[in-house]
Amino acid sequence: MSHAEQPPEQNLGHNLRQLRKERGWSLDRAASETGVSKAMLGQIERGESSPTLATLWKLAGGFHRSMSSLIEPAAGQTGKIRSADRLRQQPTQDQMLVAPLFPFDPQFGFELFELTLLPGYQRESEPHEPGVIEHVMVIEGTMELLLEGQWRPLQQGEAIRFAADQPHGYRNLGDKPAVFHNLIHYPAQP
């Protein structure tokens, strides 16, 4: 089984181990940088534990990487068709399905996900790094987005762009899944 075909927790564990090795970080240093306990980091690296989405974002922030770079190998060459149906996975404990349609590529400065919020799902997100902008486009169902302390309803076909370096959140209070595209743009790194 190739790295790209491994279960999500194996991809995450492999990618996390590689990032630590590239930086020469011990588990202690990685725990200090990410705010994720040393024990949890070890479990994730060994594929013994599936983190929450909040933990996944802490890891991404601590390593100064995109979320997609933790769960998915780079998309590679242009002109290759990527199917959400084949890519869709549940990489965390959360009731959210994630299809990394275009994992982060520094050449373009963004990552694009298809996200599915299962009925009853709610998550409030910590602010991302300064300058991160999210673009949310609802493609199926209805959902709500938390911005500036208020939940805003979004219907199928509606889209919004917002500064993600502030608290924000996503929820689906309906009885059917809500599916949306989320394009996350990162500022250029010096």
Side-chain angles (χ1 to χ4, degrees):
M1 183 182 310
S2 75
H3 176 59
E5 296 167 344
Q6 291 180 7
E9 62 277 3
Q10 294 298 320
N11 274 343
L12 176 58
H14 176 269
N15 292 342
L16 193 56
R17 233 180 347 271
Q18 286 300 112
L19 279 172
R20 274 198 323 104
K21 285 181 183 177
E22 287 171 14
R23 287 171 169 72
W25 289 1
S26 65
L27 279 173
D28 284 324
R29 171 80 187 272
S32 174
E33 295 288 336
T34 63
V36 176
S37 75
K38 180 180 169 181
M40 176 59 78
L41 285 168
Q43 290 172 359
I44 293 169
E45 283 191 8
R46 292 187 301 274
E48 296 171 356
S49 179
S50 176
T52 64
L53 198 57
T55 299
L56 194 57
W57 276 114
K58 281 183 177 181
L59 293 171
F63 280 98
H64 302 286
R65 297 297 292 262
S66 65
M67 184 176 76
S68 63
S69 69
L70 295 178
I71 61 173
E72 178 79 8
Q77 73 276 11
T78 60
K80 182 179 177 187
I81 295 174
R82 294 179 56 83
S83 166
D85 287 339
R86 286 195 309 265
L87 295 167
R88 200 173 291 116
Q89 56 184 280
Q90 191 171 351
T92 67
Q93 299 171 18
D94 301 79
Q95 293 298 304
M96 178 192 285
L97 305 178
V98 177
L101 295 173
F102 293 103
F104 180 76
D105 184 326
Q107 176 183 353
F108 302 112
F110 75 87
E111 58 190 345
L112 175 64
F113 297 98
E114 178 211 73
L115 301 173
T116 303
L117 307 181
L118 300 179
Y121 178 84
Q122 178 172 323
R123 178 174 179 277
E124 294 184 27
S125 177
E126 295 293 319
H128 299 304
E129 300 281 320
V132 173
I133 304 289
E134 288 193 31
H135 306 75
V136 170
M137 299 140 281
V138 181
I139 57 175
E140 185 180 315
T142 61
M143 62 177 281
E144 293 183 27
L145 187 66
L146 177 65
L147 290 175
E148 299 172 352
Q150 281 192 314
W151 287 101
R152 298 182 184 188
L154 291 173
Q155 306 296 316
Q156 183 173 326
E158 293 184 329
I160 188 169
R161 174 176 38 209
F162 64 94
D165 54 3
Q166 62 180 318
H168 55 285
Y170 317 90
R171 73 180 179 190
N172 175 7
L173 299 179
D175 57 0
K176 295 181 180 167
V179 182
F180 65 102
H181 286 155
N182 190 356
L183 185 145
I184 304 174
H185 184 268
Y186 297 86
Q189 298 294 319

